[in-house]
Amino acid sequence: MALLLWVWLGCTVFVLGCAWRAYRYASAPEHLRWDLYPVAHEPNAYGGSYLEEKDWWTKPRHSSLVREAVFMAEEILLLRGVWTHNRRLWWGSFPFHWGLYLMVAVTFGLAAAALGLGGQPLLLALAVVGGLGGALLAVGSVVLLYLRARDPKLRPYTAPVDLMNLVLLALLGILSALVANGGMEPVAAAVADLAQARPVSASTLLATQMTVASLFLLYLPATRMVHFFSKYFTYHAVRWDDRPREAGSALDRRLRAALDFGVDWSAEHVRTGKTWAEVATTLPEEKSAGE
Amino acid sequence: MEQQRPTGVEQEGLTTTETPAAPKVKAHQTPDDVIHLMEKDQTQDVDTLVPLPFPYEDWKDTPIPTLSDEQRSRFEVGPDGVSALQIPKPATEEEKEERVAQFLAGLAKLLDREDNWTFLQPLMLSLENCVKCQTCNDSCGIYTDSGRAEMYRPTFRGEVLRRIIDRYIKPGGGILPGLRGHDIKVDWNMIVNLAELSYRCTLCRRCAQACPIGVDNGLISREIRKLFSQELGIAMPELHTLGTVKQLKTGSSTGLNPAGVADVIEFAEEDIQEKAGLEVKIPFNKEGAEYLVMHNAGEFLSWPENLQAFVIILEKAGVSWTMASEPVGYDSVNYGLFYDDVQYSRIVLKHYGIAKSLGVKKILEGECGHAHKAAMPVADRLVPRDMFVPTESSLVLLEDIVMNDRIKLDPSRNDFPVTLHDPCNITRSMGIIQPQRNILKKICPQFREMTPHGVDNYCCGGGSGFAVGNSVNFPDWRTRVAGRMKFRQILNAFSDSIGPETNKYVCAPCSNCKGQLRDIIRYYEGWDRCRILYGGLVELIVNAMVDVPEGFLEWEFH
Ligand code: SF4
Ligand code: SF4
């Protein structure tokens, strides 16, 4: 029963925590444009934008979702940026991330198996993928742990909790590989128990693996590991957000509304207690309309 | 250590200038070591700077001057012994505590959705998602060329700010701060250092480009500057009192009032007559013109040939254009972009208000990078649509004029080595890359690229207002540390003809970049030793114009 509650708690906090973080980002006010080139959906491979065109505001735009997807796929699947700029770290980061990807894939696979899909072939495939995922996660975590503890550029920026996190993930990787090595039938059965809110029957090994995995899920939303979804915002809402403002659009309405926000900044040249519109249209020594 | 010659290398489609290992690299071992940097005097040692390539093997940097006792008694310095801000020393301990409390209040406002709606989302994303992988580090020319001084690491400022937020602003900051990596004590010394260090980053965003997560350490520097300006009234004097405040008061950060502009214009008309044989009346306040042309007024005083070249090209190409005589309307500068959203907004709205009242069809941004970014992408989200006037880059119009043969050109007049410096604001922040290259390829037979270039360029080291920072020992730091990478790039670009027998030209279509190029070429004696000159793009175009007598470009360093 305790295991059932613990896993449920982990999953619930994970979902709600991530939803809350995503909501905070998504609901932040519309900001001033801060795009950074190259912008992946632009057609020019050298990083050019539509601002290179004469009378750009009259021209059709050639934005491509495919180019964005290719960029993102390279970034997510190959860790291209780290490979290009930080090769030493890549040798730890690549197995670490792939370990996590495979374990997420296995989790979905187990959900399918719990629904009675896939049969034995699926369970066999999950055992292979789970074993590989666990091993990669363990190897990646140990390499990262070593680098974080030793590398002079990483060490000073690493807190004790970061090291504890990597130790936990190394342990999770090892436990997951061992569990997979024993076959996935008992895991699928445990997942079915969890899904139906029944007390979970699991071996000590499996119960330990599930306990550690849930602990990870429990604190993940409070960490910077949420970059698995926040990266969507850093790219789409900032770096690649090159939408021109069109009169009457939702963007236009939100930006107009922002001009009514209050300004509390205290420096003398700012006129504290006014709205942004008032502050931006008058100098400290002037009076705004109606004053 | 043996001198190495940096080479351009292709790396997965991204070209970089290799940075030779500097003689001394200070290694810091623990998070506490890093924070203690904020407590010590880490005066930048010129012996740690990256060596320069051929023919500068014998180059010895002179040390960055330290402040006099008298200066030190009046204002604070950063952890590197440099003062960009001249922050007055508080008279009492109480005053220091008050300022620290103000800082923390400002930090809360920086994270508030109304007080900082302008940049809250990107700031939050950058503060909360950095995984401290240091992938961005070597993209920063200031960091690498300083000899990798810890305090210039792109992540350093953000790390300090993050720890302060986690400790003082977020709920539960006092719970296990050591374990969670934010055991930090904020005091006056720390906030002084943070303020100063926000002015050791040119906001060039090259590090942001390399970050796999999409974190922007340049933006973090900018937001730190903003907090100090909008809450504590602390900013680089050349940007604030001598910059935006002066511009809003007199009409221009140069101090030029409308009468002064009239004098400049009269002089320009005479010069155009003399140099180009063209009798022209520079149009002002011409209602309904196609373009309102906006220049950085610094050009009028420091590089009047740039204004003149624009006039010649626009007139010869038959463009309908005008300038504005109303204060602020004749100066495209908007230093608010670098440190203060309030000042930024005031200037942007003035610019657009003037364009609207003149009824022009478009605004044309002259050769000034930050003015481009301030008036185009960033302003697009600020200016209400009923005030909006479409804005275009002069590089785009010039490309149209040159490539479509709207003026007659003889490229053989520009038959000397030319390289292009890409202003960060125009390239990395706006994606305007190709027009200037198309022009140069057409009119300069010996054009060659720097490595790297385009969106991957390095900042000149004068970005974000540094080029106008001329007080105390800041310019000495700016030339030796911030400008070093650019000077290395220039030497490499001209390595086939580096001797003083060949005149060479660095084309920089940006006023602030030109200011910085002037200062680094002067400091490194690039004119005397190598005959390296710098200037804008329009000067090269006019130099090649068949209708203009030869010799528009004067090979004199100024
Ligand atoms: S800014 Fe980006 S690249 Fe730099 S340390 Fe943070 S996550 Fe890594
Ligand atoms: S924005 Fe530019 S100067 Fe600032 S830290 Fe990044 S790379 Fe360095």
Side-chain angles (χ1 to χ4, degrees):
Chain A
M1 196 63 187
L3 183 60
L4 173 76
L5 289 177
W6 179 246
V7 174
W8 266 100
L9 179 71
C11 294
T12 312
V13 170
F14 171 75
V15 171
L16 292 180
C18 290
W20 167 243
R21 291 276 296 261
Y23 171 76
R24 279 181 66 239
Y25 296 141
S27 63
E30 204 68 65
H31 57 88
L32 299 186
R33 226 173 103 178
W34 205 245
D35 30 347
L36 181 68
Y37 292 81
V39 165
H41 57 238
E42 284 284 277
N44 301 312
Y46 58 83
S49 73
Y50 60 83
L51 296 175
E52 289 188 329
E53 290 179 69
K54 192 154 182 303
D55 297 333
W56 58 266
W57 55 95
T58 62
K59 306 278 167 66
R61 302 209 28 225
H62 306 286
S63 190
S64 158
L65 283 179
V66 175
R67 281 190 293 270
E68 279 188 6
V70 169
F71 179 97
M72 269 301 171
E74 283 182 1
E75 191 49 55
I76 293 167
L77 301 178
L78 304 176
L79 272 60
R80 187 172 172 269
V82 181
W83 172 260
T84 309
H85 301 286
N86 200 356
R87 194 69 53 91
R88 196 166 128 93
L89 189 75
W90 187 90
W91 296 107
S93 198
F94 184 76
F96 176 86
H97 280 89
W98 267 95
L100 288 172
Y101 299 160
L102 294 184
M103 287 179 56
V104 170
V106 167
T107 308
F108 282 109
L110 283 168
L115 291 172
L117 302 172
Q120 273 306 314
L122 176 63
L123 289 175
L124 200 60
L126 291 177
V128 173
V129 175
L132 187 63
L136 284 172
L137 179 62
V139 169
S141 302
V142 169
V143 175
L144 290 180
L145 200 52
Y146 173 79
L147 290 174
R148 288 232 164 252
R150 305 288 309 165
D151 188 319
K153 75 178 174 190
L154 297 173
R155 177 77 190 95
Y157 295 82
T158 301
V161 279
D162 302 324
L163 299 176
M164 286 160 62
N165 176 46
L166 286 169
V167 170
L168 186 103
L169 285 169
L171 180 67
L172 178 62
I174 294 167
L175 290 170
S176 304
L178 292 175
V179 165
N181 190 42
M184 292 309 246
E185 286 89 350
V187 190
V191 170
D193 288 341
L194 284 170
Q196 291 166 41
R198 300 192 296 244
V200 184
S201 59
S203 66
T204 313
L205 177 67
L206 179 57
T208 314
Q209 192 270 354
M210 290 166 80
T211 305
V212 172
S214 299
L215 176 63
F216 176 59
L217 291 180
L218 203 62
Y219 68 70
L220 187 151
T223 70
R224 51 195 190 240
M225 285 181 287
V226 295
H227 68 255
F228 73 87
F229 68 82
S230 59
K231 212 164 152 162
Y232 171 84
F233 294 99
T234 56
Y235 279 79
H236 290 84
V238 186
R239 280 177 78 150
W240 295 348
D241 180 9
D242 60 350
R243 287 168 299 158
R245 175 176 178 179
E246 274 159 25
S249 63
L251 174 67
D252 185 32
R253 283 196 298 277
R254 283 198 294 272
L255 289 165
R256 261 205 172 269
L259 296 180
D260 294 330
F261 286 158
V263 181
D264 291 328
W265 295 97
S266 305
E268 262 176 41
H269 68 279
V270 184
R271 305 178 74 227
T272 306
K274 307 281 169 201
T275 66
W276 272 93
E278 288 166 334
V279 165
T281 48
T282 45
L283 299 182
E285 59 275 14
E286 295 169 351
K287 296 227 179 288
S288 49
E291 271 184 75
Chain B
M1 199 195 117
E2 205 185 282
Q3 205 106 21
Q4 292 174 30
R5 191 169 169 175
T7 49
V9 289
E10 285 282 345
Q11 203 185 51
E12 305 250 317
L14 180 76
T15 50
T16 61
T17 290
E18 272 180 12
T19 300
K24 282 194 248 161
V25 178
K26 297 174 199 134
H28 299 279
Q29 286 304 314
T30 68
D32 278 354
D33 273 351
V34 168
I35 290 308
H36 286 150
L37 269 179
M38 301 291 274
E39 292 157 15
K40 292 184 206 149
D41 200 335
Q42 298 279 310
T43 307
Q44 173 72 51
D45 175 1
V46 288
D47 292 339
T48 67
L49 301 177
V50 164
L52 298 174
F54 176 79
Y56 277 76
E57 291 89 342
D58 60 339
W59 180 258
K60 277 293 307 157
D61 287 282
T62 48
I64 297 170
T66 48
L67 270 65
S68 66
D69 289 347
E70 190 274 326
Q71 286 172 318
R72 277 225 175 218
S73 71
R74 282 192 294 128
F75 46 77
E76 305 282 4
V77 291
D80 50 4
V82 175
S83 172
L85 301 174
Q86 299 159 53
I87 301 172
K89 276 193 189 288
T92 60
E93 286 306 309
E94 289 72 48
E95 200 186 323
K96 284 185 183 173
E97 276 165 29
E98 250 172 56
R99 299 297 262 167
V100 171
Q102 262 183 309
F103 167 82
L104 290 172
L107 189 49
K109 292 173 196 174
L110 203 62
L111 301 171
D112 180 83
R113 53 184 293 123
E114 296 212 1
D115 281 314
N116 195 21
W117 69 269
T118 44
F119 285 100
L120 180 66
Q121 190 189 44
L123 177 65
M124 220 162 50
L125 287 163
S126 286
L127 287 173
E128 294 177 3
N129 290 287
C130 171
V131 295
K132 305 172 189 189
C133 61
Q134 313 300 5
T135 301
C136 52
N137 293 180
D138 280 2
S139 297
C140 176
I142 293 179
Y143 171 62
T144 57
D145 280 31
S146 69
R148 297 192 167 80
E150 190 66 46
M151 63 195 148
Y152 305 145
R153 193 189 287 281
T155 45
F156 183 72
R157 293 159 279 256
E159 177 68 16
V160 175
L161 189 71
R162 220 172 263 125
R163 289 185 195 187
I164 298 174
I165 291 170
D166 288 348
R167 180 70 182 80
Y168 289 89
I169 306 290
K170 282 195 182 161
I175 302 168
L176 301 173
L179 188 73
R180 292 157 67 202
H182 58 250
D183 195 4
I184 194 168
K185 178 155 177 16
V186 180
D187 58 15
W188 170 245
N189 188 48
M190 177 170 288
I191 69 164
V192 163
N193 286 336
L194 191 60
E196 279 288 345
L197 284 181
S198 69
Y199 287 84
R200 301 295 184 277
C201 158
T202 61
L203 317 185
C204 76
R205 305 176 76 204
R206 198 168 190 274
C207 54
Q209 216 176 25
C211 174
I213 309 287
V215 169
D216 188 339
N217 285 302
L219 176 76
I220 292 177
S221 297
R222 182 191 183 275
E223 296 298 288
I224 296 173
R225 293 182 183 190
K226 181 164 90 186
L227 148 57
F228 278 98
S229 178
Q230 292 182 182
E231 189 66 15
L232 292 99
I234 293 174
M236 190 189 242
E238 290 88 345
L239 294 186
H240 188 64
T241 29
L242 303 171
T244 56
V245 171
K246 196 176 185 186
Q247 185 177 11
L248 287 164
K249 205 167 170 198
T250 65
S252 164
S253 57
T254 58
L256 274 177
N257 57 19
V261 173
D263 287 346
V264 165
I265 293 301
E266 201 183 309
F267 170 77
E269 287 168 349
E270 283 167 18
D271 241 27
I272 292 168
Q273 162 92 53
E274 201 177 300
K275 287 198 226 164
L278 184 67
E279 204 161 315
V280 61
K281 188 93 198 110
I282 296 177
F284 268 85
N285 307 328
K286 196 166 95 186
E287 290 197 10
E290 187 173 3
Y291 289 105
L292 168 64
V293 180
M294 299 204 53
H295 291 291
N296 177 321
E299 301 278 357
F300 304 164
L301 303 176
S302 299
W303 303 283
E305 63 276 12
N306 184 272
L307 164 70
Q308 294 158 18
F310 260 106
V311 174
I312 295 168
I313 296 169
L314 296 176
E315 288 295 310
K316 288 283 182 187
V319 174
S320 154
W321 68 290
T322 186
M323 286 172 63
S325 68
E326 192 177 322
V328 186
Y330 48 78
D331 190 357
S332 65
V333 161
N334 190 344
Y335 291 145
L337 179 71
F338 301 141
Y339 79 102
D340 190 299
D341 290 342
V342 172
Q343 295 293 81
Y344 165 75
S345 308
R346 287 173 177 158
I347 294 173
V348 158
L349 293 179
K350 281 259 177 213
H351 284 156
Y352 275 88
I354 291 167
K356 197 77 191 169
S357 69
L358 284 175
V360 294
K361 296 195 180 63
K362 316 166 197 177
I363 298 173
L364 189 77
E365 288 297 329
E367 293 188 4
C368 180
H370 90 278
H372 268 73
K373 179 168 157 181
M376 293 177 71
V378 184
D380 197 45
R381 297 272 161 95
L382 191 77
V383 180
R385 289 304 90 171
D386 48 3
M387 274 182 82
F388 185 69
V389 177
T391 306
E392 189 164 277
S393 166
S394 57
L395 303 177
V396 173
L397 176 65
L398 292 168
E399 182 193 29
D400 177 60
I401 291 172
V402 169
M403 302 314 282
N404 293 317
D405 298 320
R406 290 171 62 186
I407 49 179
K408 284 202 208 68
L409 296 160
D410 174 8
S412 72
R413 289 189 181 182
N414 285 337
D415 196 10
F416 42 81
V418 174
T419 192
L420 173 66
H421 162 65
D422 284 296
C424 302
N425 287 313
I426 293 180
T427 53
R428 199 160 22 253
S429 283
M430 292 177 68
I432 301 178
I433 319 290
Q434 210 52 43
Q436 57 272 44
R437 294 188 151 68
N438 290 341
I439 296 169
L440 288 172
K441 283 176 191 159
K442 179 159 173 173
I443 65 169
C444 298
Q446 295 190 51
F447 170 65
R448 76 276 312 277
E449 293 280 12
M450 282 187 200
T451 305
H453 58 262
V455 275
D456 300 322
N457 78 315
Y458 277 103
C459 175
C460 59
S464 76
F466 281 17
V468 292
N470 279 321
S471 310
V472 202
N473 56 358
F474 186 73
D476 303 285
W477 177 86
R478 165 159 68 79
T479 46
R480 286 162 187 75
V481 183
R484 201 170 193 86
M485 174 61 86
K486 186 53 59 179
F487 192 64
R488 292 203 291 129
Q489 280 192 286
I490 293 171
L491 291 178
N492 287 331
F494 292 135
S495 61
D496 61 338
S497 53
I498 198 69
E501 57 288 346
T502 312
N503 284 337
K504 296 167 279 287
Y505 190 93
V506 184
C507 171
C510 169
S511 306
N512 286 327
C513 299
K514 280 192 299 201
Q516 167 72 351
L517 287 174
R518 175 190 57 206
D519 293 352
I520 57 177
I521 294 173
R522 187 177 285 147
Y523 168 71
Y524 293 109
E525 300 166 9
W527 173 247
D528 295 330
R529 287 182 170 223
C530 306
R531 280 288 177 274
I532 296 171
L533 190 68
Y534 69 95
L537 177 63
V538 280
E539 293 90 317
L540 281 173
I541 298 175
V542 173
N543 198 52
M545 279 175 71
V546 175
D547 292 350
V548 174
E550 280 191 53
F552 182 82
L553 209 62
E554 289 167 4
W555 290 96
E556 272 171 18
F557 188 79
H558 67 283

